[in-house]
Structures are given as structure tokens and as C-alpha cells.
Amino acid sequence: MKAVLFEQFGQPPRVQTVPDPTPSAEGVVIKVEATGLCRSDWHGWMGHDPDVVLPHVPGHELAGTVLAAGRQVTRWKKGDRVTVPFVGGCGHCHECHSGNHQVCEQQFQPGFTAWGSFAEYVAVDYADTNLVALPDELDFATAASLGCRFVTSFRAIVDQGRVKPGEWVAVHGCGGVGLSAIMIASAMGANVIAIDLTDEKLAFARTMGAVATVNARDGKDVVGAVKEITKGGAHVSIDALGHPATCFNSIANLRRRGRHVQVGLMVGEHARAQVPMAQVIAHELEIYGSHGMQAFRYQDMMAMIRTGKLTPQQLVGRHIGLDEAPAALMAMDRFEGLGISVITRFS
């Protein structure tokens, strides 16, 4: 099969011909019809993720059809239209038994713990636990865009942030994660403030449901601006970027007993961010992470998509070919363009 492969961290990946995958006993092989480009793929390529073993094929946001199934797979067959969370649970450990597959002790992550979906085919383990059936009306490109950014934002807003109608939600960063969070929080009835460095992305955030925007460029007092707009601070705040400044601001702009959810990855030199801990203690703030979402939780999100309350297709930007993926991957740190780029051409 053709796949994007890199053999050294930080060195240009290339489209190469590599052996086709085979399914494990509990796994499947999926013919990839669409796969999203995510900044997490860039972090893996840069060597920020210790799970990545060279040589490596990136890609973790995917949708396609089952090509082959292992002998222990009972729920899926060849031809089934499927997607998968970027974190797959083993189905056997304590966390999986408690329903928390997204923090599985032996988690499987295509594109990180195994070769990923920047390829014609990808092997996915623990298929009966992790695969999600796609409704016929949901196109592959939109389905692929759900796999990391959208589902992580859904869990951040709905499960971790526990957003209620009428609450103020601040979203720091208007990339794929941030725009997803804005759309979902707005659908939940919240008043959303979008924070970013570019007017173009802030204008797009308003079309996703933001009722106010803050341009953080040129040293603007983001915390003060959010507190002024909300008359006291956000009830819930999301760091959708993953940077020491956005993490600090997201916590500092909360009102008393507010909830911060960290979605943007904090790795490399950003792994140990400064936290206003005195404020956390005095104001009884809550700090959460959001690391993907369990396959069984897709049902509620899919219902909101089916009824039009959520429209993730609006977040899909460029459709590109596999041969364009190496350059697009290397450019992910520049935060260019609007929406999510998706690989939909593989030949």
C-alpha cells in the first residue's frame, strides 16, 4: 500500500510503498476513505510523543470501510462503514470496565502506538470495543474530522466541563479543537467567547456560534477582557491550543468555582505550564483534562449531528491527496487556514 512514512523525527516524510497490514485476532483492517490532519500528528513527527517508534506512519482521525476482520471479532464485517476514536480501549482493564476507555491502561492509538491512517489501509485493534458505525448520510470526510478534535471537544464541553444553558464559556484558540468546542458549547445553550490572534479566525468563530470575541494579539489583557464581557469571569474555559499563555489565561479568566478543561496538548518545552494555584485554591476552581471520547458516547453526539444541532461538516476545510500530506503535516505548526484539512485521495 501507499503510505506517508517518516524514518527520523523532524525530517521530511515521504509517500512510500509499504506492506499491507493484517488484522490481529481482535482487530480489523480498514480501507481508509478519509483521514484528517491534526497538530497531534505534527507533535508525533517532531518526536514529542514517546509512544512513536520509528519508522512510522502518522494519522489518527479516520473513516472508511472494513476490509478484513480478525477471528475473534463478532460485531463487524467486510464492507461496514466505520470510524474510531483516536484512543482505543483494550476492553479488559479496570478503566475500560468502568467505562473510561479514553484513559485505558493499555490503550491503542493509531498513528502513535501503531502505524496510522496516512495510508490506503490501517489496522485497528480491539474492534468490538472501539469501532463506531457510520450512518449512511454522514460522508467520510466529515466522519474522519470527528475522530480527535471534535470528540475531544464534545467530551470537554459536555462531560468534563458540564456546560449548562446560559453559562459563559471561554475558548482559547480557534483552530479545529477550538471551533469544535465553540459549536458544541453554543448548541448546549452557552454564551461563548472566542479568543485568538487573528481577526479571520475570530470572524469564523462567530459563524460557529461565538457571541463575543477577543483578539489576544499585541499583549492584550485577555483575562481582563473576558471578565469584563462576562461580568465576573467564565463559568467554563477551554484551552484549545496547548500553550503556557493560553493555559494560564484559561484558568485565570474563570469566575469563582469555575471549570477549566485542558484540551490542547502540552508537550516538549510547554509540558510544565505555570498555574495560578492561589486562585485555584481561593476560588475553588476545577481543572480537568479531556483525552478523546469513548466509542459508546458517540451515540449522543451522532444524534445531535443527525438532527442538525451540530454541523461538523462546516469545519472541514481543504480536501487533499496523500501526496500532499507530507508538506501539510510539516506546516501544522504555522496554524494556517481555516477548518480541518482532510486527505480524501489516496491514488
Side-chain angles (χ1 to χ4, degrees):
M1 68 174 181
K2 290 182 179 179
V4 173
L5 187 82
F6 59 85
E7 300 179 83
Q8 296 294 329
F9 293 121
Q11 296 300 307
R14 294 185 297 125
V15 176
Q16 300 187 43
T17 300
V18 299
D20 291 350
T22 56
S24 65
E26 295 183 77
V28 298
V29 170
I30 296 171
K31 181 181 185 295
V32 182
E33 300 289 352
T35 182
L37 281 89
C38 177
R39 193 161 182 254
S40 299
D41 299 312
W42 179 86
H43 281 300
W45 169 65
M46 287 295 293
H48 297 160
D49 192 315
D51 290 329
V52 175
V53 176
L54 298 172
H56 189 67
V57 176
H60 61 286
E61 295 184 321
L62 66 116
T65 55
V66 174
L67 184 70
R71 65 181 183 278
Q72 294 179 25
V73 175
T74 61
R75 296 181 55 209
W76 308 99
K77 65 183 184 304
K78 183 176 181 180
D80 286 344
R81 300 174 78 251
V82 295
T83 187
V84 64
F86 84 91
V87 178
C90 68
H92 308 300
C93 70
H94 169 77
E95 296 299 341
C96 287
H97 286 163
S98 71
N100 292 297
H101 305 83
Q102 79 285 355
V103 289
C104 170
E105 296 163 14
Q106 287 90 38
Q107 60 192 243
F108 172 82
Q109 295 186 37
F112 298 100
T113 65
W115 279 16
S117 54
F118 286 11
E120 293 180 280
Y121 310 107
V122 63
V124 174
D125 285 344
Y126 314 123
D128 282 343
T129 299
N130 297 296
L131 261 59
V132 176
L134 294 179
D136 291 339
E137 64 270 18
L138 189 63
D139 66 277
F140 285 119
T142 301
S145 75
L146 302 176
C148 174
R149 286 162 282 203
F150 203 86
V151 299
T152 303
S153 294
F154 189 89
R155 178 169 170 77
I157 293 295
V158 177
D159 295 343
Q160 300 294 77
R162 309 185 308 281
V163 169
K164 302 179 184 66
E167 288 190 322
W168 283 99
V169 176
V171 177
H172 297 258
C174 293
V177 169
L179 293 170
S180 300
I182 291 165
M183 177 187 293
I184 296 161
S186 179
M188 296 296 292
N191 301 307
V192 184
I193 305 170
I195 300 104
D196 202 89
L197 297 170
T198 69
D199 291 333
E200 181 187 26
K201 289 186 177 180
L202 291 173
F204 191 52
R206 283 190 178 274
T207 71
M208 295 297 104
V211 299
T213 59
V214 175
N215 192 318
R217 191 177 51 220
D218 301 327
K220 185 178 180 65
D221 179 9
V222 171
V223 172
V226 170
K227 288 192 172 183
E228 181 179 354
I229 293 168
T230 60
K231 302 296 187 288
H235 298 87
V236 177
S237 191
I238 310 291
D239 176 10
L241 177 62
H243 186 277
T246 50
C247 177
F248 184 93
N249 287 342
S250 182
I251 299 170
N253 73 191
L254 290 169
R255 67 179 60 213
R256 294 167 188 266
R257 297 186 57 79
R259 295 149 349 247
H260 162 79
V261 187
Q262 187 65 39
V263 181
L265 291 178
M266 304 287 284
V267 295
E269 62 184 14
H270 295 161
R272 297 181 180 273
Q274 184 180 9
V275 173
M277 192 54 70
Q279 183 180 348
V280 172
I281 297 167
H283 293 177
E284 293 192 349
L285 305 181
E286 301 176 41
I287 299 178
Y288 295 93
S290 183
H291 189 241
M293 189 171 76
Q294 315 94 308
F296 70 82
R297 285 290 287 127
Y298 271 62
Q299 182 176 355
D300 291 344
M301 180 185 70
M302 289 294 196
M304 295 181 73
I305 293 172
R306 191 175 301 112
T307 57
K309 289 184 172 63
L310 296 176
T311 53
Q313 60 271 23
Q314 290 185 271
L315 300 176
V316 176
R318 292 193 305 149
H319 288 236
I320 66 172
L322 190 67
D323 59 336
E324 300 171 87
L329 174 65
M330 292 188 289
M332 286 298 293
D333 64 326
R334 298 205 291 267
F335 306 102
E336 296 174 340
L338 295 172
I340 298 168
S341 294
V342 182
I343 302 167
T344 54
R345 301 187 301 275
F346 295 87
S347 58

